[in-house]
Amino acid sequence: MAKTSKSKKSLTYADTGVSIEAGDAMVGRIQQHLRKTHGPRVLGKHGAFAGMFRLDFNEKLFKRNYKDPVLVSCTDGVGTKVLLAIQLGKHDTIGQDCVAMNVNDMIVQGAEPLFFLDYIGTHSVDPVHMERIVKGVADGCSLAGCALIGGETAEMPDVYGKGDYDLAGFSVGVVELSRIVEGDQRVEKGDVILGLASSGVHSNGYTLVRAIVKQAKLDLNKVYKDFDDDPQFAGKTLGEILLEPTRIYVKPIVRLLAGYKRKRPISGMAHITGGGLPGNVNRALPENLDAKISRKSWEVPALFKFLQKHGNVDEDEMLRVFNMGIGYTLIVRPHFAEAIAEKLTKAGEQVFTLGKITAGSGKVVFTK
Amino acid sequence: MAKTSKSKKSLTYADTGVSIEAGDAMVGRIQQHLRKTHGPRVLGKHGAFAGMFRLDFNEKLFKRNYKDPVLVSCTDGVGTKVLLAIQLGKHDTIGQDCVAMNVNDMIVQGAEPLFFLDYIGTHSVDPVHMERIVKGVADGCSLAGCALIGGETAEMPDVYGKGDYDLAGFSVGVVELSRIVEGDQRVEKGDVILGLASSGVHSNGYTLVRAIVKQAKLDLNKVYKDFDDDPQFAGKTLGEILLEPTRIYVKPIVRLLAGYKRKRPISGMAHITGGGLPGNVNRALPENLDAKISRKSWEVPALFKFLQKHGNVDEDEMLRVFNMGIGYTLIVRPHFAEAIAEKLTKAGEQVFTLGKITAGSGKVVFTK
């Protein structure tokens, strides 16, 4: 809050640190990024009171696929990964994280994402930073095949520290009623659990990541030898590795589901976020079944071993906080497991057969 | 971040200030509030990866009204009004503000709200405070006739100060393609501008409000004589007056629009938010027309005179920052103006005839 010491001063909004001009400059900059994500179903123009998305842009296409459409919607933020982006001054990929956190949640229920909106709360609008953030959101939307139809940037100098911001998003998709994937209804004993590789820490557990970095005095700008044998991260600084954007699983999963017109071999799915494998795979289980996952079925990436070592973190805690290399899981009928793994591999995913569904009590059990 | 001085300590997530138990306690508390807003169109259960809303819950009803449905969506926060709620320890109405900011935006384009999601970023989860906030969101959803189908609470102790939080929301509605209200396409010379009374400051301009309170050393717990003659605020403390929740205009506006099956006498609308009347009514104007508004057509409420006096704020600045007593405007065909004003009055709104549309250049012009 500005200049409150001059008690007879005539107050204006600008005095309080909120700049309408900076906001306008930002709006101009971000329009191009939004437009890149727009197809013929997006109506209206930037600056309208609300974004508009035409459901039946082509009657034949939409109505052929959807007899009883159910809108699926979720909201999520990127957590304290923003603080790492701020610390490193790299703002162009955190937007992809924000999109990923939302659309990866939505496809779990069988939906195809339609559109996205973002919310940025910040100390004050830096048009260049804001453009980078929104560009990342638009990139994420392109990867997810959805339209970025709106957003809000709120300047709140007394809530956020200088240079700080928070980023949250909101997505809407659609699924046919009879094709909603509800693991607790359809998962059966003997079903196979498949895991898709994550791209890194994704967007959960960054408060712990940052605590480890601080406690162990790690250097975010250093290239650590621990990653020399890691084809993804060799030669990259720790900061770059930790900011690697969250993988978006939308296109392979939506295509996979669309490929089975009558059969429904995918009985449950999970996006591995806060809570890790034990806190998310269980969300796709009936009360009387367990997910038995072999710890030998996939190799935990060097990144998680590195964090565990420097933070002296318990193995159980690692599994509860981090994805440990698996970002998304599918539970599938055993006869289809191989074919599905092959399809996903061809779509560019690294697929692991993690284990099987057994009698139990709705929890994840790790075996050696 | 906790205990980073003990450098050999084994780190856990709880050490960093993020409590999973508090989060779980909150989820239990808020379920009842969400459920109150759910009709038969809401599917799935609390705790799913995403919320679900059935579009065609009743084929006859939905398909009779919508041949070419367009989804309308927006996101907005409550700005620094949260800081006032925090300062006064009153968290049960800020949620209504959050809903209002979104749904009042959406109805401008002719949409009826369907569902809502909220995002709360906070230092640490206080289950009691969070329940009050979400209860307010649910109350707002009930007033707006929409379902609260999801939300996210993010604990970010290094982004938000102790006790602080930010609150944003997202809403989705639907409008028939041919009935979208687009002021810049349909507003004509001679159309009449109607204004609906606001309930107070609503949710914009609070950074300035708080600067005025601080500079003039106003007491939020005092009952000021300035409001003795104000039927709405007499006897209330300044804090109570400033926290008065934003009026939700959904039900009267949606009913009004639905009442005109063929004729379309409402040519444009605006929700008066940041930018005030001059910065919002203009968004409903074609480039070659002005909105001529008489300053005598409505009485500015005592609250705005009080803020202006104590902040020594310019009249123009007041009009650009605050709603000055008018929270929502409609531009209507002159022959229908009286009937529409009567309908809205019967629906419980206080209606003012603010002025007329004249030749011009897309701006708001005030006359004495």
Side-chain angles (χ1 to χ4, degrees):
Chain A
M1 208 174 304
K3 302 170 188 168
T4 47
S5 56
K6 301 182 187 174
S7 68
K8 283 179 187 168
K9 194 180 171 306
S10 162
L11 275 174
T12 69
Y13 209 41
D15 290 335
T16 64
V18 175
S19 161
I20 290 169
E21 286 72 25
D24 287 347
M26 181 197 62
V27 168
R29 281 169 175 272
I30 65 178
Q31 281 190 45
Q32 49 171 325
H33 300 296
L34 268 74
R35 251 186 254 120
K36 271 190 297 187
T37 70
H38 290 181
R41 299 169 84 171
V42 175
L43 306 178
K45 53 197 173 304
H46 197 88
F49 280 87
M52 293 195 287
F53 188 92
R54 190 174 172 189
L55 216 44
D56 274 336
F57 80 106
N58 177 335
E59 286 213 357
K60 281 177 205 145
L61 201 73
F62 190 80
K63 288 199 176 149
R64 196 194 302 152
N65 288 320
Y66 293 99
K67 293 203 176 355
D68 201 343
V70 174
L71 297 180
V72 180
S73 187
C74 46
T75 176
D76 208 350
V78 293
T80 52
K81 192 168 183 174
V82 284
L83 289 175
L84 209 61
I86 292 161
Q87 194 179 343
L88 292 163
K90 179 165 163 41
H91 307 285
D92 59 342
T93 56
I94 197 81
Q96 176 178 331
D97 287 296
C98 184
V99 175
M101 291 305 289
N102 285 282
V103 293
N104 288 346
D105 264 5
M106 172 189 297
I107 56 174
V108 163
Q109 284 164 229
E112 81 175 284
L114 299 176
F115 60 82
F116 191 85
L117 297 91
D118 65 284
Y119 172 82
I120 306 171
T122 184
H123 178 278
S124 49
V125 166
D126 176 327
V128 177
H129 285 184
M130 292 298 139
E131 183 192 1
R132 287 199 192 128
I133 298 167
V134 175
K135 181 195 172 295
V137 174
D139 290 345
C141 287
S142 296
L143 288 170
C146 66
L148 179 56
I149 66 166
E152 166 71 10
T153 305
E155 274 194 319
M156 299 167 69
D158 295 332
V159 175
Y160 296 94
K162 200 160 180 147
D164 280 0
Y165 58 90
D166 191 7
L167 172 63
F170 164 77
S171 66
V172 171
V174 66
V175 60
E176 174 65 21
L177 180 68
S178 64
R179 294 180 66 83
I180 295 172
V181 178
E182 286 181 299
D184 59 341
Q185 305 292 319
R186 298 196 58 256
V187 167
E188 289 174 2
K189 200 174 148 180
D191 282 358
V192 172
I193 309 157
L194 300 176
L196 307 185
S198 64
S199 55
V201 179
H202 284 185
S203 308
N204 290 97
Y206 276 85
T207 297
L208 182 54
V209 167
R210 291 169 41 256
I212 293 169
V213 167
K214 195 169 175 185
Q215 171 173 299
K217 298 191 171 63
L218 298 175
D219 182 354
L220 293 170
N221 295 308
K222 184 173 163 182
V223 177
Y224 285 90
K225 287 192 190 258
D226 302 64
F227 304 106
D228 280 358
D229 297 333
D230 185 308
Q232 185 189 4
F233 291 140
K236 290 195 174 178
T237 66
L238 180 59
E240 288 170 329
I241 293 170
L242 291 175
L243 274 187
E244 178 69 27
T246 308
R247 188 167 182 87
I248 291 178
Y249 300 99
V250 171
K251 288 188 178 171
I253 296 297
V254 167
R255 198 184 308 152
L256 178 73
L257 292 171
Y260 293 102
K261 297 284 178 207
R262 292 199 186 181
K263 288 170 185 161
R264 298 183 58 196
I266 295 120
S267 55
M269 295 189 282
H271 176 209
I272 310 307
T273 57
L277 286 164
N280 287 288
V281 175
N282 64 324
R283 297 165 75 181
L285 294 178
E287 281 178 7
N288 62 338
L289 297 177
D290 278 355
K292 199 166 267 181
I293 294 179
S294 163
R295 289 296 311 273
K296 283 185 189 143
S297 60
W298 86 102
E299 172 114 30
V300 172
L303 172 55
F304 298 100
K305 294 174 182 165
F306 177 86
L307 291 170
Q308 180 169 19
K309 178 180 76 179
H310 286 287
N312 189 20
V313 183
D314 265 8
E315 183 76 8
D316 279 357
E317 183 77 359
M318 288 297 293
L319 282 164
R320 266 199 306 269
V321 174
F322 297 115
N323 67 62
M324 298 292 267
I326 305 293
Y328 195 88
T329 59
L330 302 93
I331 302 176
V332 305
R333 297 287 184 248
H335 285 315
F336 291 85
E338 207 176 316
I340 288 172
E342 205 170 294
K343 284 184 190 199
L344 290 169
T345 304
K346 274 190 188 158
E349 300 301 319
Q350 197 182 348
V351 187
F352 305 93
T353 303
L354 300 180
K356 283 213 167 193
I357 301 299
T358 62
S361 55
K363 61 188 189 307
V364 174
V365 179
F366 289 107
T367 61
K368 283 189 182 170
Chain B
M1 210 174 305
K3 302 168 187 168
T4 47
S5 55
K6 301 182 188 172
S7 66
K8 283 179 186 169
K9 195 181 167 304
S10 162
L11 275 174
T12 69
Y13 209 39
D15 291 336
T16 65
V18 175
S19 162
I20 290 169
E21 286 72 25
D24 288 347
M26 181 198 62
V27 168
R29 280 169 174 274
I30 65 178
Q31 281 190 43
Q32 48 172 326
H33 301 296
L34 269 75
R35 251 185 256 119
K36 273 190 297 188
T37 70
H38 290 180
R41 300 168 84 172
V42 175
L43 306 178
K45 53 199 172 306
H46 197 88
F49 281 88
M52 295 194 287
F53 189 92
R54 191 173 173 190
L55 215 45
D56 274 336
F57 78 108
N58 177 335
E59 285 213 355
K60 282 177 201 143
L61 201 74
F62 189 81
K63 287 198 176 150
R64 195 194 303 153
N65 287 321
Y66 292 99
K67 292 204 177 354
D68 201 343
V70 174
L71 297 181
V72 181
S73 187
C74 46
T75 175
D76 207 349
V78 293
T80 52
K81 193 169 184 174
V82 283
L83 290 175
L84 209 60
I86 292 161
Q87 196 180 340
L88 292 163
K90 180 165 162 40
H91 307 285
D92 59 342
T93 56
I94 197 82
Q96 176 178 330
D97 288 297
C98 183
V99 175
M101 292 305 290
N102 284 283
V103 294
N104 288 345
D105 264 6
M106 171 187 297
I107 57 174
V108 163
Q109 282 162 233
E112 80 174 285
L114 298 177
F115 61 81
F116 192 84
L117 296 91
D118 64 284
Y119 173 82
I120 306 172
T122 184
H123 178 279
S124 49
V125 165
D126 176 328
V128 177
H129 285 183
M130 292 299 139
E131 183 192 358
R132 289 200 190 126
I133 298 167
V134 175
K135 181 196 170 295
V137 174
D139 289 345
C141 286
S142 295
L143 287 170
C146 67
L148 178 57
I149 66 165
E152 167 72 8
T153 305
E155 274 194 320
M156 299 167 70
D158 295 331
V159 175
Y160 296 94
K162 199 160 180 147
D164 280 0
Y165 59 90
D166 192 6
L167 173 63
F170 306 93
S171 64
V172 171
V174 64
V175 60
E176 175 64 22
L177 181 68
S178 63
R179 295 180 64 84
I180 295 171
V181 178
E182 287 181 299
D184 58 342
Q185 305 292 319
R186 299 195 58 255
V187 167
E188 289 174 1
K189 198 174 148 180
D191 282 357
V192 172
I193 309 158
L194 300 176
L196 306 186
S198 63
S199 56
V201 179
H202 283 185
S203 308
N204 290 98
Y206 277 84
T207 297
L208 182 53
V209 167
R210 291 168 42 255
I212 293 168
V213 168
K214 195 170 175 183
Q215 172 173 297
K217 298 190 172 64
L218 299 175
D219 182 353
L220 292 171
N221 295 308
K222 184 174 163 181
V223 176
Y224 284 90
K225 288 193 189 258
D226 302 64
F227 305 106
D228 280 358
D229 297 333
D230 185 309
Q232 186 188 3
F233 290 140
K236 290 195 173 178
T237 65
L238 179 60
E240 287 170 330
I241 293 169
L242 291 174
L243 274 188
E244 178 69 26
T246 307
R247 190 168 181 86
I248 291 178
Y249 300 100
V250 171
K251 289 188 177 172
I253 295 298
V254 167
R255 197 183 309 153
L256 178 73
L257 292 170
Y260 293 102
K261 298 283 179 207
R262 292 198 185 182
K263 287 170 185 161
R264 297 183 60 199
I266 296 120
S267 55
M269 296 188 281
H271 176 208
I272 310 308
T273 57
L277 286 163
N280 286 289
V281 175
N282 64 325
R283 297 164 76 181
L285 295 177
E287 281 178 7
N288 61 338
L289 297 177
D290 278 354
K292 198 165 269 182
I293 293 179
S294 162
R295 288 298 310 275
K296 284 186 188 140
S297 60
W298 86 101
E299 171 114 28
V300 173
L303 172 55
F304 298 100
K305 294 176 182 163
F306 177 87
L307 291 170
Q308 181 169 19
K309 178 180 77 179
H310 286 287
N312 189 21
V313 183
D314 265 9
E315 183 76 8
D316 279 358
E317 183 76 357
M318 288 297 294
L319 281 164
R320 266 200 305 270
V321 175
F322 296 114
N323 66 62
M324 299 292 267
I326 304 293
Y328 195 88
T329 59
L330 302 93
I331 303 175
V332 305
R333 297 287 184 247
H335 285 313
F336 291 85
E338 207 175 317
I340 289 172
E342 205 170 296
K343 283 182 191 203
L344 290 169
T345 305
K346 275 190 187 159
E349 299 301 318
Q350 197 182 347
V351 188
F352 304 93
T353 302
L354 301 179
K356 284 214 169 195
I357 301 300
T358 62
S361 56
K363 63 188 189 306
V364 174
V365 179
F366 289 107
T367 61
K368 282 188 183 170

